[in-house]
Structures are given as structure tokens and as C-alpha cells.
Amino acid sequence: MKRTLSMAALVFALLAAAGAAAIAQRGGASAPSLSVNPLWPEPLPNHWVLGSVTGVSVDARDHVWVTHRGADSLEGGEKGMMLTPPTSSLCCAAAPFVLQFDADGKLVSNFGGPGQGYQWPQSPGSLVVDAKNNVWITAAGLEPAPASGRGRGGVDTTAAGVAAAARGTVAPTGPADAHVLKFSSDGKFLLQIGTPGKMEGPDSQTTLNRPAAVAVDTGANEVYVADSGNHRIVVFHAETGAYKRHWGAYGEKPTAAGGGAYDPAAPPARQFRDVTCVELAKDGMVYVCDRTSNRIQVFQRDGKFVKEGIISKNTRGTTVTGQFGVLSSYGSVWDIAFSSDAAQQHIFVADGHDKKVLIVQRDTLAEVGSLGDGGRQPGRFLAVGSIATDSRGNLYTGEQHHGKRVQKFVPGARR
Amino acid sequence: MKRTRNLFVGAGFLALLAVLGIAQTMLQRTAAVQAQGAAQAPRFEVDPMWPKPLPNGWYLGQTIGVSVDAQDHVWIIHRAASMDAFEAAADEGTGTCCKKTPPVLEFDQAGNLLRHWGGEDGAGYQWPASNHGLTIDHKGNIWIGGNGAANDGHILKFTQDGKFLMQVGIKQAGLGPDSNSQERFYLVAKVSVDAKTNEVYVADGYGNKRVVVIDGDTGKFKRYWGAYGNKPSDEPAPSRYTNGSQPLQQFRGPVHCADISVDNLIYVCDRTSDRLQVFSREGKFQKEIFVAPDSLGDGSTWDVAFSKDAEQKYMYIADGRNQKLRIYDRKSLAELTNFGEGGHYPGQFYSMHSIAVDSKGNLYTTETYQGRRVQKFTYKGLGPVTKKEQGTVWPRRTTN
């Protein structure tokens, strides 16, 4: 009897120690502890490299889906095999736009690029796999679309350019991004919402403006679109694309002007600035990233405002000119993911400008921890802009700009 | 009875030993037979978590030099100025990360950051407009070059604490090439130091097209030469080297390395010619090889380092165009195998720029442009070459 008791005590002590190891403390609140798996995913075949990663999503099988900006986001030295003439026969070429990995990091399938009946984005904004295993991709452009509605010009008519376009690794030129695409998991085109080059403002029921992200409510058969350029959330039927409803910050009517420039000292803007994510929690709440405003706003599914949380209030931003154009980096709330526990107790916030993943308690929207810091080594970040969790507590992050990686973080401290 | 049993046990033990012995011999024979067909070459695998994260919110810019000191500490130099406003958001006041970092950084074997210094002019010396290359000599002193266009015509020598020792040449606005100057350089990539003679071999460089030899203590110019040992010329190269074209009689440049081997040969990287030329210490041309001669753009020969065995049997070439660490048999100048692949994951590269080897044979690589890191590859001993292209050399996977 006594022996059994001490065994139980020992087991209890071990469990307590294990629990303690998995908890990182900050300000009395607890946050999950995660560490990078530096050897995920497996190296890509065919001398493929990732460009600026803009979307990461986990499907029902815990497979990880990734989209990136392809050759347009690669420097000359990164895509030597795609240049005319090629500067290398060994390194490198842009990977296809959509990649599916299994949980071990094996590349399972890929697709992407122009096809019949739809226009491939000039710049994929994000990717979501819904509960029916369909793949949604937003066409988010790199820059605000010019008034003419034309996107970036200059079709690459060189042999390598044509060949690359045929391989589906270079974004087509043409009308500016203003649409959402839906594909089956094997890349068959299913639906397009919005029309490239056609932007009719935040009251439009048929057009979008550089949509950044979607979330799918499979039960209601609805798709929520973070319509960044229109400063709104807009909901469509997920099969037909028929308009349902839309709203702006605080559930109010969105305006074309949006929230203006961010000032940490000013009261929160009544309009969204840059809506870069929309996520549906299990309890039916709709979470929205207003990136440049450093905030998360929470709504009911009908658009009724519930609450907001300011994250890293003093983060502002910057615009830099790189080898392949202008890169902007503003705000702390680029994308979010809910923790894998049943209650979704925590929210992981991809804070791209500060180069961290912030961990926020979902009920209070208070920051309770963080993951990583700036750098190019494993577990560090550059512009971490997309984030997803799987069913087993693993976390996946995608990095934009020159980060160009998808990283996997596993529960617990690094052994 | 008991005794008999002990005897039996003893006999069994002997038999076992004999079998083990035979097995051992057979294993050795098998290995020897396998090795007959396959050349031996050093094997490496990346240490994905080296070095440790930098303190103070620091962040590496273009990392363009690496050298290992007598304590096996790893020294790098990078360009803080290459960090854009986004990377340096904490300095800019727009975010919490990151900050510009002193250019010269020392790491111990565990990957901890130790000393850090540099970046500013001091009494008697001018810091380069653009850092390029770092070398630790046999006395433990640190040499750095500079390739800031229209400025850097000099090299600098410091103690490991960052105390200034010597400047050779000048930094001056409006400077241009003069490949026959006896006083200054133009856009030096890297130096190496001959411990036996205390002479410094200067890869000069991005602007000039020559190798210069100076005295390691006085900085006095001793001799210099161009490609094939010719008198160097500043005449622009007519065109880029293309596979099979007539090799240029001058360096195209950048003259990106000039490393001395244990048997007193000078290995010179002529990067955009995709070639390596070998000279005697006096500058007498010995031989040349072309490396991945279909490479265009930046070229294929970025840096060299030698294996740690007494005769430096192997030579490593950093091919930053094709993102391969190439392993050569140094005597025959035949490539045995290579590893590396383009990308930003451990063991992959974007513009692998500089390489160095420590006393245990471990290899360190740095990446410029948007690679911006230093990586460690653990030496795993010699093994038969089974693949010409090894790809990304990862340690055995952990279960996650």
C-alpha cells in the first residue's frame, strides 16, 4: 500500500516536471513552449527553391500546404537555372506555386500556375485548405493596384521566360490581382470570386481588391474573405461565390479610405487599415488581423463586433526597395493560428515586422509569450507572415521577403 | 568436472575471439575492396543549431569572411550596413527587432558569441567602406580587406581584441584601379599569411587584377603578378568567360582568394573566369583548372580552404554560384565530390562566400547577399565517394 502510494507520488512528480518543461512563464500566465525542428521539410527535388512564402495551411490529415511568390520573388542568384542564358545548371529554379508536404516533411504533391477558366495570381496572397480538402488561394498583388487596373507590365518573352511560364513558376502579367481562387486538392479549378483588374470599392458585392486571406465555414458553406484593399470582411457562398454580407472595423460600414496612417498615440482607427487574415474559432467567433493597426478584432459570424486586442502597440513599419521591387513591412499582426487544444486557449500571432511569433491568450487577447527572434538560422525569423497549427500541437510558419522558408515547431523544449 | 567445464568455457572464449578476429579482418578487406573502386573523400554533415542565437537583438548582414584561430574559435566579418530598414527595425524605432551588429564577431566551438568589435575609423586607420574577407595569421592577428567601390585601397591588421596594428594602402574617395601600384590596393577580397616567411598574399581584388605579396610586419610591397604570372593590366576584360572560350591572359576578377598551401603553392580564385590558378610563392604559374565552367553571373570560384591532414590532401572550393562546396584532390586537381544545394535551410546556401577549416577538420561557411549566416559542417572522417553530388548533407533525422 505504502509502496503504491510512493509510486503514485513519483509518477505525479514526473508528470508535474514534464508539464513544467512544456510551459513558458511570462507575467504569471502560461504559454505553450515550442522548439524548432531544423530538419523540416526535406530538401526539395529538382533544385527547386521557395520564394517569398505567403501561405501555410494544415489539412485534415495534418499535411502542410504552402504557397509562395515564385520566381518573381527570387533574386537572380537564386534562380540561375531560369535566367537567359542560365547562369547555373545546378541552382536553382522556383518550386511550383502550391506544395503539399506530409507531417514528416516529404513533398507529396504540387500544382499551380495559369490554366483554363481562371487567372493565376500575380502574387499569391495566402492559401487555405478547407475541411473538404479544397485549396483556396487569394490573389493579393504586391502593390496597391494602379488606378488603371493594370498590374505590373513587361511580359518576359525570352525563351527562359516562356519556358518558366509554361512550367507555372512565373506569375503571369495582366490585370491586377483582385480575386480568390478555389481548386480541388489535385489542382483542378473549381471557382473564382472577383475579377482581376476590376475593383469597385468596399460596397461591391462582386469584386474584391487584393484579398489577403480566406477562412471557410464548411458547416454553413460560407467563405470569409479578408478583402484587404477594401478594408473589409466579405462573406460569399463557398460553392457558388454568391455574395452574403460584409463589414468593416467594429462591424461598421467600410470606406475606401480605410484607417489612414498608423499612429501609436492616436485612438484606434474606426476603419481597418490592412486586413491580412480571417480565422474562425471552434466557438464560432471570427478573428481578423488588422495588420498595420497592430490589432485583432473579434466578431460574431454575422459581423457583430465583440472585442479587439492591441498587440505590440508601438510597432510601425517600413518600406524597402530590393532587387525585385518594393517590399513593405508594416505592423505586428500579419496572420494568426489557434492552439491545438480543444478550447483553443491560445493564439499564435505571426508578427512579421518584429520577426517573432507572439503567443496571446485567446480570452483576454493579452500577450503571454513569444517564439523566436530575428535571424536566418533555424527557429529565427525574417518576415514571418503566415502561420498554422496541426492537430498534434505542431506549429508551422512561413516567411516572406528574403526569409523564404517554412519552418516546423514541435511542442516542448529542444532536447 | 569443474575444471573440465572451465576448460570448455575457455576454449569457447578463444573460439569466439578467433571468429571475431576473422570477422574483423574480413570487414577490413571488404572496406579495402570497396575503397579500391571509390576514391576516399572527407565527409561532412551540417550542425543545424550552430551558432547560438546572437544576443542584444543582433542580426547578421551579408557575411563575407571567416577564419579559425588557434583555439578553434571561429571569427566572421559581416556587413552591418547591408541590413535594410526592415531588418534593423529596432535601430529605426519601428519595431522590436533587430539591431545592427558589430562587424567582427568571435564564436567559440559551442557557438557562443565572445568578442565583437569594429566598424569605425580609429587613430591611424580607416575602416573600409565595405567589409570583405577576414584572416587570422599564425600570430593570432586579424587581417581584413575592403571592397567599397571608389574608396577602399587598403587592408587592416588588428589584434584579436580589436587593437589596431597596421594599415597598408589608403582609403580615399574617388580611388580607382592601379594594378601596378607599389603603395596601395584597390578593393581587396582576402589575404592569406605564410607563417614560414611572414609574408602576406593579398587577393587584389575587385578593382585591381593581381596577387600582391607584402611583409607581414612592415607592410612593405615585395612582389605582385597577374594571371599566368603576367604583368597585370587594368584594361577591362573584353567579355565574360564562357564555357570553352579562350582563357583570358589577365584575371577577370574579382581576384577573390589567394591561399597558401603547406607545400608553398598559392591558389588564386579568378571568380568570373570560373577558374583557379596555382602559383609558386614567387608568382611562377603552375597550373589552372576551370570549375563548373558553364557558370555565368558571379562565377564559380569564390574561396578555397585545405583539409587538416599534414599534407593537405584535399582542397575545398566554395562555389557560390552553384551553391556547392566542392571537394578536390589537391595534387591532381580532380573534383571528387560536392555537397550543398540552393536554399535557406540548414546545409543549403544562397551565395556561399567564404570558407574555413578548424583543427578537427570541421568546415565553416558564410553567405553573402540574402544568405546572411554562418554555418558549421561537422567533419565525419574519410569515406568512399558514392555520389558526385551529395545534395543537402543533414545529420540523421531526429523523430519529431
Side-chain angles (χ1 to χ4, degrees), chain A residues 36-44 47-50 75-81 85-92 103-105 312 314-320 323 327 329 334 351-356 373-384 394 401-408 410 414-415, chain B residues 46-60 84-90 92-98 292 294-299 319-324 326 338 340-346 348-351 369-375 389 391-400:
Chain A
V36 70
N37 174 353
L39 304 181
W40 193 99
E42 289 186 4
L44 294 173
H47 307 297
W48 285 347
V49 290
L50 293 173
E75 294 194 338
E78 292 177 292
K79 55 180 175 186
M81 295 168 74
T87 60
S88 171
S89 54
L90 297 169
C91 176
C92 290
D104 291 332
S312 191
N314 291 318
T315 296
R316 288 180 294 163
T318 187
T319 298
V320 296
Q323 193 180 338
L327 296 175
S329 156
W334 293 33
D351 178 355
H353 190 68
D354 295 315
K355 309 164 192 77
K356 290 176 184 69
D373 209 336
R376 307 295 179 93
Q377 309 281 354
R380 317 295 278 183
F381 301 109
L382 188 53
V384 53
N394 299 310
H401 292 204
H402 300 291
K404 298 177 181 170
R405 290 187 293 189
V406 181
Q407 298 196 72
K408 178 178 187 174
V410 300
R414 188 172 166 77
R415 284 154 291 170
Chain B
V46 69
D47 178 349
M49 299 310 284
W50 193 98
K52 292 180 181 166
L54 293 174
N56 311 323
W58 284 350
Y59 181 100
L60 291 179
D84 63 31
F86 166 49
E87 289 171 301
E92 302 278 325
T94 66
T96 60
C97 174
C98 300
D294 63 342
S295 306
L296 298 175
D298 305 315
D319 174 358
R321 174 73 293 273
N322 300 295
Q323 314 312 341
K324 305 289 177 210
R326 299 181 182 276
N338 65 60
E341 184 59 83
H344 297 276
Y345 290 99
Q348 303 184 334
F349 305 101
Y350 176 31
S351 58
Y369 299 158
Q370 290 293 343
R372 301 187 179 202
R373 58 181 173 169
V374 53
Q375 296 195 74
E389 314 230 323
T392 310
V393 285
W394 274 0
R396 242 165 283 137
R397 285 169 66 90
T398 53
T399 49
N400 267 321

Side-chain angles (χ1 to χ4, degrees), chain A residues 58-65 100 102-103 108 133 185 391-392:
Chain A
V58 177
D59 70 15
R61 291 185 298 169
D62 277 347
H63 282 197
V64 183
W65 293 73
Q100 179 192 185
D102 68 18
V108 174
N133 222 25
S185 60
S391 71
R392 290 182 286 181

